[in-house]
């Protein structure tokens, strides 16, 4: 019996996922073995668009090595969903738009399916890259597009955004499992302004109609079965708390649902044009917070807003029953809240592990109201950890007074060597995507994604 037990334990120690071409990392024993909620585990990754043409041997092709290595590491971690963003310059002609979209082909069509990973496509402001995001708010006569194929109230920025978004959908069809519409649109840097809830609702409704092929349109973009979710709300809200014009995240969401676009759609079809609410439960930078203030209270605030939206329909079409997709949540190991000479300590790798453990333990345990929504309905459907890799700057930069002016962005569960902050879109990384090291949080994530299940042979009464 002892020999059988040792044999089982030896088999359990073998990893069944190929690693990048580098020394195999050692998996520390964390002791985590939670119940696994299928489809929960997401990760925000390095956008494949950034890794097109970055291998000097293949200047006009995808960086196959980088993307293959990233895919293998994601599979090793047990990632089930990835979030990636599309990027298209504002002034691109039709041929260039198609070329920019196609830079994502290799990852979406080859790498993700190879590892059984589903794709959440972020259709953000970079569909109009280098434009002014607030152009989407324009409602003056000079901005509006007469006789738009998308219907009334469409300005020039919306027309271009919708055209490009639907080209993406038509290209990839069921290879993209979900779409996030914009990102933190209730708090745009640097001023904290917002895309108005009215415009956001209009944009979301029009994309939903066309993507789902709902009357009066008759276009099949291949995304009728994809999730369409409203972009990740920022918990700090719009503007400055306590000053005129401030709108909380919950107020923004209620205004969107109560605007005519959403209400008219509901009146006609009996459901809202939103399959989930994407939320980014960030504290001030990131501190352990489920049990005290930031993350838990933010989710409670948004759920209360959804419960207050009328009508109080029973079942899955009740707004109160819309699930959360946490499309960003993470912890920056390189952040020191008050600088090196002040009392609050720098955030640590152990802090990242603790925060991740808190997130992936507490959020999956949340349940929707059973009376309204039915029994055993998880409130949180997906959690996308932010992020797979660190991004520039790799270290904190200080001015001549020793004051931090730009904090290191060490959010990743892995470090890929950053060769330069400039000269490449999003920074220049090792062209092979070589992983310099795996942080402890990588293994914590893996333990949540792939909990160890130990099956031992039945041992008889005589101990044989």
């Amino acid at each position: 019996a002892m020999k059988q037990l040792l044999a089982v334990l030896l088999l359990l120690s073998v990893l069944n996922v190929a690693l990048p071409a580098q020394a195999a990392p050692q998996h520390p024993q964390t002791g985590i073995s939670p119940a696994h909620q299928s489809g929960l585990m997401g990760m925000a990754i390095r956008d494949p668009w950034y890794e097109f043409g970055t291998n000097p041997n293949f200047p006009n092709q995808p960086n196959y090595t980088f993307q293959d290595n990233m895919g293998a590491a994601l599979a090793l971690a047990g990632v089930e969903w990835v979030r990636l963003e599309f990027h298209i310059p504002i002034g691109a002609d039709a041929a260039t738009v198609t070329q920019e979209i196609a830079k994502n082909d290799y990852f979406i069509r080859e790498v993700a399916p190879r590892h059984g990973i589903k794709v959440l496509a972020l259709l953000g402001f970079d569909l109009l890259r280098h434009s002014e995001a607030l152009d989407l708010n324009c409602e003056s006569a000079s901005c509006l597009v007469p006789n738009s194929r998308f219907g009334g109230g469409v300005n020039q920025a919306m027309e271009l955004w919708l055209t490009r978004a639907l080209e993406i959908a038509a290209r990839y069809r069921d290879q993209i499992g979900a779409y996030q519409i914009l990102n933190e649109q209730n708090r745009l840097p640097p001023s904290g302004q917002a895309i108005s809830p009215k415009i956001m609702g209009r944009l979301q409704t029009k994309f939903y109609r066309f993507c789902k092929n709902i009357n009066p349109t008759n276009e099949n973009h291949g995304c009728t079965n994809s999730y369409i979710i409203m972009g990740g709300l920022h918990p700090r809200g719009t503007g400055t708390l306590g000053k005129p014009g401030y709108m909380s995240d919950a107020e923004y969401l209620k205004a969107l649902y109560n605007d005519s676009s959403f209400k008219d759609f509901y009146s006609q079809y009996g459901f809202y044009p939103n399959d989930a609410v994407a939320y980014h439960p960030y504290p001030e930078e990131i501190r352990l917070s489920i049990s005290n203030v930031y993350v838990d209270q933010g989710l409670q605030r948004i759920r209360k807003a959804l419960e207050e939206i009328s009508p109080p329909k029973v079942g899955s079409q009740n707004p109160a029953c819309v699930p959360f997709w946490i499309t960003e949540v993470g912890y920056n190991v390189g952040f020191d809240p008050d600088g090196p000479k002040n009392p609050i300590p720098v955030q640590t790798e152990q802090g990242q592990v603790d925060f991740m453990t808190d997130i992936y333990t507490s959020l999956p345990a949340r349940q929707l109201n059973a009376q309204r929504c039915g029994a055993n309905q998880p409130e949180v459907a997906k959690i996308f950890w932010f992020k797979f890799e660190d991004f520039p700057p790799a270290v904190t930069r200080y001015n001549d007074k020793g004051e931090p002016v730009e904090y290191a962005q060490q959010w990743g569960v892995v470090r890929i060597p950053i060769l330069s902050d400039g000269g490449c879109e999003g920074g220049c990384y090792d062209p092979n995507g070589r992983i310099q090291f795996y942080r402890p949080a990588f293994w914590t994530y893996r333990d949540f994604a792939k909990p160890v299940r130990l099956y031992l042979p039945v041992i008889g009464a005589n101990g044989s």
Side-chain angles (χ1 to χ4, degrees):
M2 183 58 69
K3 288 182 179 179
Q4 290 174 307
L5 175 58
L6 290 174
V8 172
L9 293 175
L10 179 60
L11 286 171
L12 286 170
S13 69
V14 178
L15 296 176
N16 61 2
V17 181
L19 283 175
Q22 58 198 59
Q26 297 299 306
H27 182 182
Q29 298 302 308
T30 61
I32 296 169
S33 184
H36 179 66
Q37 178 179 314
S38 178
L40 177 75
M41 305 300 290
M43 183 83 71
I45 64 171
R46 172 125 171 115
D47 297 335
W49 183 87
Y50 289 126
E51 293 303 332
F52 185 93
T54 55
N55 187 325
N57 297 319
F58 304 98
N60 296 308
Q61 296 181 33
N63 189 332
Y64 298 107
T65 305
F66 189 106
Q67 294 188 39
D68 285 342
N69 284 341
M70 179 167 65
L74 292 166
L76 174 62
V79 172
E80 297 170 290
W81 282 79
V82 294
R83 193 193 77 172
L84 57 84
E85 185 171 8
F86 284 83
H87 309 267
I88 306 172
I90 180 65
D93 59 22
T96 303
V97 168
T98 301
Q99 290 169 6
E100 295 298 299
I101 294 171
K103 289 180 178 180
N104 299 276
D105 280 3
Y106 182 65
F107 188 88
I108 293 174
R109 292 177 167 173
E110 300 290 338
V111 178
R114 183 188 309 156
H115 300 293
I117 295 172
K118 296 182 179 181
V119 174
L120 166 65
L122 171 53
L123 303 178
F125 297 104
D126 256 18
L127 288 195
L128 309 175
R129 190 175 178 85
H130 307 308
S131 70
E132 172 56 59
L134 290 171
D135 288 346
L136 286 168
N137 276 342
C138 186
E139 294 202 82
S140 69
S142 61
C143 293
L144 297 180
V145 176
N147 304 315
S148 169
R149 65 185 263 231
F150 302 112
V154 176
N155 60 40
Q156 294 165 4
M158 292 174 67
E159 176 89 3
L160 193 57
W161 189 98
L162 287 164
T163 300
R164 293 176 173 185
L166 289 169
E167 181 174 342
I168 290 166
R171 184 179 188 88
Y172 296 109
R173 306 182 79 79
D174 60 1
Q175 292 170 320
I176 291 179
Y179 294 92
Q180 178 184 321
I181 311 305
L182 300 187
N183 192 56
E184 297 186 350
Q185 66 279 4
N186 67 320
R187 187 173 186 84
L188 302 178
S191 62
Q193 289 180 269
I195 303 302
S196 78
K198 176 171 63 175
I199 293 293
M200 180 64 206
R202 191 180 304 168
L203 185 72
Q204 170 104 10
T205 303
K206 291 180 186 297
F207 180 79
Y208 197 98
R209 281 181 182 273
F210 275 71
C211 198
K212 300 282 191 180
N213 196 21
I214 295 173
N215 279 335
T217 68
N218 188 28
E219 301 182 20
N220 184 355
H221 296 280
C223 50
T224 53
N225 295 321
S226 300
Y227 297 101
I228 299 174
I229 60 179
M230 191 270 297
L233 287 172
H234 195 297
R236 288 184 66 186
T238 305
T240 303
L241 181 65
K243 293 192 175 180
Y246 176 76
M247 179 182 288
S248 73
D249 50 3
E251 291 169 335
Y252 185 96
L253 184 64
K254 289 172 70 173
L256 183 149
Y257 267 89
N258 287 320
D259 187 68
S260 59
S261 294
F262 264 43
K263 292 182 78 171
D264 290 350
F265 187 96
Y266 184 91
S267 296
Q268 190 169 1
Y269 301 109
F271 59 94
Y272 288 97
N274 191 31
D275 297 324
V277 171
Y279 191 62
H280 296 175
Y282 285 114
E284 295 290 330
E285 277 294 322
I286 303 300
R287 301 184 184 88
L288 194 62
S289 58
I290 292 289
S291 58
N292 50 56
V293 253
Y294 298 107
V295 174
D296 188 62
Q297 285 194 6
L299 291 173
Q300 288 187 34
R301 185 170 62 244
I302 296 300
R303 181 58 57 194
K304 185 172 184 292
L306 289 167
E307 289 172 349
E308 290 173 355
I309 294 164
S310 60
K313 194 171 182 177
V314 175
S316 61
Q317 302 303 337
N318 186 334
C321 301
V322 171
F324 289 131
W325 283 39
I326 307 301
T327 54
E328 283 185 28
V329 66
Y331 182 104
N332 180 6
V333 172
F335 182 63
D336 188 346
D338 55 358
K341 296 182 179 180
N342 293 300
I344 301 177
V346 65
Q347 295 185 165
T348 65
E349 290 189 349
Q350 184 57 48
Q352 188 181 49
V353 166
D354 292 342
F355 185 71
M356 178 183 282
T357 301
D358 209 349
I359 287 290
Y360 281 103
T361 301
S362 297
L363 297 192
R366 301 175 74 101
Q367 295 286 310
L368 291 168
N369 183 292
Q371 271 192 317
R372 287 175 180 260
C373 311
N376 301 316
Q377 297 296 315
E379 184 178 25
V380 178
K382 316 286 179 201
I383 305 173
F384 289 78
W385 184 258
F386 188 87
K387 196 169 188 291
F388 173 66
E389 83 292 351
D390 294 342
F391 52 95
V395 296
T396 299
R397 293 168 175 158
Y398 298 90
N399 60 22
D400 54 7
K401 298 179 181 178
E403 301 165 335
V405 293
E406 192 172 10
Y407 284 105
Q409 301 299 327
Q410 297 177 17
W411 300 82
V413 294
V414 304
R415 165 64 65 85
I416 302 170
I418 301 172
L419 307 182
S420 170
D421 287 4
C424 315
E425 293 278 5
C428 302
Y429 287 73
D430 179 290
N432 293 315
R434 176 179 61 87
I435 294 177
Q436 184 176 350
F437 56 81
Y438 295 72
R439 286 203 172 94
F442 180 94
W443 302 112
T444 300
Y445 184 99
R446 185 178 188 277
D447 283 337
F448 278 105
K450 297 183 175 183
V452 174
R453 293 177 175 87
L454 184 61
Y455 297 98
L456 299 178
V458 175
I459 299 174
N462 61 3
S464 61

